[in-house]
Amino acid sequence: MKQCDLIVIGGGAAGLLAAGTAARHGAQVMLLEKNPRMARKVMITGKGRCNVTNDCTEEVFLQHVCSNSKFLFGPIHQFPPQRMMSLLEELGVPLKVERGNRVFPLSDKAVDIVDALVAFAKNAGVCFEQKQVDRLLISDQTIQGVHCDDDTVFFAPKVLIATGGKSYPLTGSTGDGYQLAQQAGHTIIPPRPSLIPVETQEEWCRECMGLSLKNVTLTLWEKGKKKPVYTELGEMLFTHFGISGPLVLTASTYLKKDLSVYHMEIDLKPALDAQQLEQRILRDFEKNQNRDFFNSLSELLPRKLIPVMVRLSSIPPTQKVHQITKGQRENLCRLIKHLPLTPKKLLPIEEAIVTAGGVCVKEISPQTMESKFCCGLYFAGEVMDLDARTGGFNLQIAFSTGFVAGENAGKEV
């Protein structure tokens, strides 16, 4: 039997910041993490570089939140990205800001962020134990402590659930927190993948596997809608199953219905309008007028994409360039500006960067992160029904909600 002021379940981004924040207020904090290493999911974010936050205003930040942005108004105001950046700098982690206001450690090493968060908690006096919590101890709708799967019991008047979602289960995000929340009477919005690659019906994507497109525009359309659901300039990647990369991951957050109602288009030359593109093609054709069509596109398109575009254009690959008609040329131009893709399905939730769904935020106080059902029970991070677009926003949600939960749980002690 062990006693403390606050038990934090989960040693990820939200849990570490919450634990350290509460301990700084003088609370005796015990952090329980089932993995031998803390913040394993943070280690793999940003391809191991850790896109730790986004250096934008609170208003812009909330515009990038996909689910329940109103709930985050208070937490983001209390602990905006700039406060997180200042904290990391204080902890000895120099930062840099890249395209789209994405913030990374100067070293490009996610381990520096993890080490800083762990040091923040340890230096504040947080105690760590490798335990898996399987049950909350509740009496008269008031938290009493937790029970672990090895029959260890920890008692505390405050418990904070920061167990993450269901994506990347090998990092420890296996949905444990949902069962714990349900024990306290909370509703779980069915978890679904967010920020996830998309499998397409078009098999030609496999031919382009590994090809990264930069400075292209991806547009997502829904049948019956005159305006696109999503359109943005950026980077994307072809894979053996379809498409991935920043543009695709963000687009996936808008795929909330039957995927058969959506279609996508890639503008391979967004800097050129249709007339400018046709002039560009004419200049290329002039230089290559005696070549076969197949051999005339090397300056216009990436090498891996050329066989696909030739096939989709219906222009015979061996047709001489000077024989290509105006209609064929216009068709090629249209294809370059509107390369079609058809979403078939999203990859499994286990391969998603972020989990959408989770504990219903209507049942949590946004001012304190405390449960409205169970006195002394708090939540932070991805376990709640909160998710955002790619670019450092999701980690900042973890930090902001973790700060608010830790601040209030620690102060109340």
Side-chain angles (χ1 to χ4, degrees):
M1 183 180 78
K2 300 183 180 181
Q3 185 103 25
C4 59
D5 296 322
L6 169 66
I7 297 167
V8 176
I9 310 171
L16 285 166
L17 192 74
T21 301
R24 280 188 166 188
H25 284 289
Q28 290 181 309
V29 182
M30 176 68 70
L31 191 150
L32 306 179
E33 166 58 50
K34 64 184 179 182
N35 287 323
R37 184 169 178 83
M38 300 287 160
R40 287 183 62 187
K41 192 172 179 182
V42 177
M43 289 286 288
I44 62 174
T45 60
K47 298 179 181 177
R49 295 175 61 218
C50 190
N51 181 187
V52 69
T53 187
N54 193 285
D55 187 16
C56 64
T57 64
E58 296 166 30
E59 182 182 9
V60 169
F61 189 99
L62 293 172
Q63 289 171 2
H64 284 79
V65 176
C66 302
S67 303
N68 299 308
S69 60
K70 288 182 179 179
F71 178 86
L72 284 169
F73 182 84
I76 292 298
H77 180 70
Q78 288 187 57
F79 196 76
Q82 292 72 27
R83 280 195 67 180
M84 188 63 207
M85 293 169 67
S86 297
L87 176 60
L88 287 169
E89 296 272 5
E90 289 171 18
L91 294 170
V93 184
L95 302 172
K96 60 181 177 179
V97 181
E98 296 187 359
R99 182 182 57 80
N101 294 320
R102 290 168 164 83
V103 180
F104 293 87
L106 190 61
S107 64
D108 282 329
K109 294 179 180 177
V111 68
D112 291 349
I113 302 295
V114 173
D115 289 347
L117 292 172
V118 172
F120 170 70
K122 282 186 175 178
N123 292 340
V126 176
C127 296
F128 294 80
E129 290 233 15
Q130 187 180 346
K131 299 284 184 183
Q132 178 156 358
V133 176
D134 62 7
R135 193 167 79 248
L136 297 179
L137 303 179
I138 302 171
S139 177
D140 295 327
Q141 294 183 304
T142 301
I143 202 77
Q144 304 292 316
V146 301
H147 179 277
C148 300
D149 61 359
D150 63 356
D151 282 335
T152 306
V153 176
F154 295 87
F155 289 99
K158 310 284 180 186
V159 171
L160 193 159
I161 298 176
T163 50
K166 288 194 73 174
S167 55
Y168 290 136
L170 292 178
T171 66
S173 296
T174 52
D176 303 350
Y178 304 146
Q179 286 74 37
L180 297 176
Q182 283 177 318
Q183 291 170 23
H186 281 277
T187 306
I188 305 301
I189 307 302
R192 64 184 189 278
S194 182
L195 297 183
I196 190 165
V198 177
E199 184 177 334
T200 60
Q201 291 185 19
E202 289 78 10
E203 295 185 1
W204 58 258
C205 290
R206 181 185 292 271
E207 297 176 50
C208 299
M209 182 173 62
L211 172 62
S212 178
L213 298 178
K214 296 183 179 181
N215 298 317
V216 299
T217 298
L218 179 68
T219 302
L220 175 66
W221 297 89
E222 183 180 341
K223 287 179 183 175
K225 298 285 182 71
K226 293 183 178 180
K227 291 184 178 180
V229 177
Y230 162 80
T231 184
E232 192 169 338
L233 175 74
E235 300 177 19
M236 60 176 291
L237 173 73
F238 290 107
T239 69
H240 66 284
F241 55 79
I243 49 177
S244 186
L247 287 177
V248 177
L249 296 178
T250 300
S252 73
T253 65
Y254 295 89
L255 296 170
K256 296 180 179 179
K257 301 178 183 178
D258 175 8
L259 265 59
S260 65
V261 305
Y262 298 103
H263 73 276
M264 294 175 167
E265 291 179 351
I266 306 172
D267 184 347
L268 296 167
K269 299 292 178 183
L272 305 176
D273 62 26
Q275 189 175 2
Q276 291 170 326
L277 178 59
E278 186 172 12
Q279 291 302 313
R280 162 70 193 275
I281 292 172
L282 280 170
R283 289 195 299 271
D284 285 358
F285 281 4
E286 183 67 28
K287 286 191 292 185
N288 298 287
Q289 57 181 312
N290 294 317
R291 287 190 173 189
D292 293 345
F293 173 55
F294 184 87
N295 296 319
S296 68
L297 301 171
S298 58
E299 293 183 23
L300 186 66
L301 298 169
R303 180 178 55 82
K304 278 190 175 182
L305 198 53
I306 290 174
V308 172
M309 297 296 284
V310 168
R311 196 162 63 246
L312 294 177
S313 74
S314 299
I315 301 173
T318 56
Q319 183 173 337
K320 296 299 180 184
V321 168
H322 67 267
Q323 296 176 335
I324 292 176
T325 66
K326 187 176 189 296
Q328 288 175 316
R329 194 173 65 245
E330 288 175 346
N331 188 42
L332 174 63
C333 182
R334 190 161 45 249
L335 184 64
I336 292 171
K337 296 291 288 182
H338 304 278
L339 179 60
L341 285 170
T342 313
K344 184 178 180 181
K345 65 180 180 180
L346 301 177
L347 265 60
I349 192 169
E350 290 79 13
E351 298 184 46
I353 293 176
V354 171
T355 304
V359 181
C360 178
V361 295
K362 292 178 181 178
E363 303 166 356
I364 301 168
S365 166
Q367 287 78 33
T368 62
M369 295 295 129
E370 187 174 10
S371 165
K372 293 179 179 179
F373 295 164
C374 182
C375 182
L377 180 62
Y378 295 78
F379 296 93
E382 197 180 350
V383 71
M384 295 182 287
D385 182 21
L386 299 167
D387 67 289
R389 300 163 89 176
T390 184
F393 301 100
N394 287 286
L395 261 180
Q396 183 60 44
I397 289 174
F399 294 135
S400 294
T401 56
F403 172 83
V404 172
E407 181 87 351
N408 286 278
K411 274 183 178 177
E412 290 182 13
V413 168

